Amino acid sequence: MNGWLAGLLAVLFFSPLAFIYARAFAGRLQARAAAGGRSVAAVAVPKLVWPLVLAAALALRLSGSDLAEWQAATGSGTLAATLSLVWFLGSIAAILFFVTIPFVLGRILGAAFALMGKFAGQRDDPLSFGARGFTTDAGTADREGLGRMGFTVAIDGPAAAGKGTIAKRLADHYGFAYLDTGLLYRAIGRVAAERGLDLDDGEAMGAVARALDPAVLDDGSLRGREAGELASRVAVHPAVRSALTEFQRGFARRPGGAVLDGRDIGTVICPEAEVKIFVTASAEVRARRRTAELVAKGRSVDYATILQEVRARDERDSGRAAAPLKAAPDAALLDTSELDIEDAFRAACRIVDASPHHRNGP
Ligand SMILES: Nc1ncnc2c1ncn2[C@@H]1O[C@H](COP(=O)(O)OP(=O)(O)O)[C@@H](O)[C@H]1O
Ligand SMILES: Nc1ccn([C@H]2C[C@H](O)[C@@H](COP(=O)(O)OP(=O)(O)O)O2)c(=O)n1
């Protein structure tokens, strides 16, 4: 078979494996760049040296040419010796063909993804394609993190202000893990309602919170409107809030950085967070966004009802005694009423970059 065709087939054959490796590699490169305050290119380029040497050696070895001919053509001792070394490497790479090709392809693809800013949130879990950052490895953070401090971005604000949108973008951009803490309260509200429990019974809700299995957080329907209402009701109980505190703090201090969004992250959960942002917008703008979001999901809702719900939720979340919604005194205020998603994200990046704790900061 024609050598070029064989090469093309090999690349096609190995591309799925190389892609999986490339995603994880791109995530690691970006996390390293963010942690070290360096550009992605500065981190990625040195990682390409070996794959490129191996690719050249393999191509030379598989070209079918004769080493003696090549050496004779060089006419210099050093070049001839280098050629022998490359030839040797090429032979090893050819023997370990099934290891070499995915490694070479994966690294080159991974560096390209990293330079394009793709898969920044992908960490050491190459086969995960789902939601990220909701898993329970937060408990191991402190053990693993000995000697290496985390970097916490705390995002608080009222419903539909754009907290989650900004938090996810920041996590991807800086290679941090992300926790949507609202999901914890939503899951407790859902479980309690399913079991027919009294949502106003603080002790019973506390027991549900203590027994919460974080695996339920992956349920996409938790993000719906009904779960939001249930969440706001169970969130008033101190027993519920204290049951969730340790999990959230563990997550926040995980090595490599974390972004958490909620209502009390900057005030109660992480008063020591390196960056605190209070994201807000007028009730009317938030109700318009939530209405558009629900209509896009095929729900028939009207703006006036949603506006009423948003106001009621604001009142309950801000008026409760336990960890009410409010901005930490040292939080940066980000009003997104007049900003589109891109502008809001850029404004949040400027806040993070300006933090004296961030290496890119002043
Ligand atoms: N700056 C913005 N401009 C327009 N729409 C936005 C903006 N930020 C968020 N959204 C949209 O508003 C809705 C609520 O945003 P989300 O991030 O879920 O808010 P929160 O987490 O504060 O409840 C989503 O549909 C989102 O796409
Ligand atoms: N850290 C948190 C997160 C959410 N809550 C409560 C209060 C909120 O009304 C509900 C739902 O929060 P969530 O952030 O998921 O809701 P929105 O997306 O902002 O509408 O949970 C809380 O009390 N503390």
Side-chain angles (χ1 to χ4, degrees):
M1 196 189 327
N2 176 317
W4 285 107
L5 185 62
L8 188 67
L9 285 178
V11 166
L12 281 180
F13 179 77
F14 286 113
S15 56
L17 190 58
F19 177 73
I20 289 170
Y21 172 49
R23 289 167 75 236
F25 185 59
R28 281 206 299 277
L29 285 177
Q30 288 171 83
R32 194 167 301 169
R38 286 179 290 163
S39 71
V40 174
V43 178
V45 171
K47 298 282 179 196
L48 288 177
V49 173
W50 269 112
L52 292 178
V53 167
L54 279 178
L58 193 63
L60 183 69
R61 195 64 192 85
L62 297 182
S63 67
S65 9
D66 184 351
L67 174 61
E69 264 174 37
W70 279 87
Q71 283 176 326
T74 59
S76 134
T78 319
L79 264 183
T82 309
L83 210 54
S84 301
L85 188 66
V86 172
W87 199 268
F88 174 70
L89 271 180
S91 305
I92 302 271
I95 293 167
L96 299 175
F97 191 73
F98 288 87
V99 178
T100 312
I101 300 285
F103 169 77
V104 167
L105 269 182
R107 281 247 165 157
I108 293 172
L109 261 182
F113 287 153
L115 289 170
M116 288 188 285
K118 302 266 181 232
F119 306 121
Q122 191 68 37
R123 308 305 282 271
D124 299 324
D125 192 4
L127 290 175
S128 131
F129 279 84
R132 177 180 40 80
F134 302 133
T135 41
T136 54
D137 49 350
T140 60
D142 285 342
R143 264 175 284 138
E144 288 171 5
L146 288 175
R148 191 176 157 210
M149 289 293 284
F151 184 98
T152 310
V153 180
I155 300 189
D156 292 303
K163 303 180 297 295
T165 306
I166 292 174
K168 254 178 264 159
R169 292 281 303 265
L170 287 179
D172 275 349
H173 183 71
Y174 293 99
F176 294 167
Y178 166 52
L179 179 66
D180 173 355
T181 65
L183 279 182
L184 300 167
Y185 296 90
R186 284 169 181 261
I188 293 163
R190 162 76 61 78
V191 170
E194 276 171 2
R195 292 193 196 150
L197 300 174
D198 176 6
L199 298 186
D200 298 326
D201 179 344
E203 266 326 297
M205 294 307 104
V208 173
R210 286 190 291 278
L212 184 71
D213 173 5
V216 301
L217 301 184
D218 288 332
D219 179 351
S221 71
L222 278 182
R223 296 183 187 276
R225 191 174 156 204
E226 294 75 14
E229 286 304 307
L230 296 171
S232 179
R233 286 185 59 193
V234 300
V236 303
H237 303 302
V240 168
R241 308 201 71 86
S242 63
L244 302 176
T245 302
E246 201 189 326
F247 174 78
Q248 296 175 82
R249 287 194 179 143
F251 193 97
R253 298 319 289 171
R254 55 173 33 215
V259 185
L260 288 83
D261 83 80
R263 301 293 188 285
D264 61 341
I265 309 301
T267 48
V268 176
I269 301 297
C270 304
E272 310 295 328
E274 281 72 14
V275 176
K276 294 179 194 173
I277 308 177
F278 193 82
V279 181
T280 184
S282 71
E284 290 76 12
V285 166
R286 289 186 283 126
R288 264 202 299 278
R289 288 180 187 164
R290 190 79 349 136
T291 309
E293 183 184 346
L294 291 167
V295 168
K297 283 183 185 162
R299 303 286 298 263
S300 73
V301 288
D302 71 289
Y303 167 75
T305 313
I306 297 292
L307 178 59
Q308 226 172 16
E309 273 181 22
V310 161
R311 288 198 168 125
R313 197 111 84 80
D314 283 358
E315 221 172 279
R316 194 186 293 131
D317 293 347
S318 317
R320 69 187 177 213
L325 164 68
K326 65 170 184 229
D330 53 345
L333 203 69
L334 178 51
D335 188 331
T336 67
S337 305
E338 308 279 324
L339 303 179
D340 64 16
I341 290 181
E342 204 51 42
D343 288 340
F345 165 62
R346 281 204 210 103
C349 284
R350 281 196 294 275
I351 295 170
V352 176
D353 291 341
S355 156
H357 305 281
H358 190 257
R359 302 249 184 115
N360 287 336

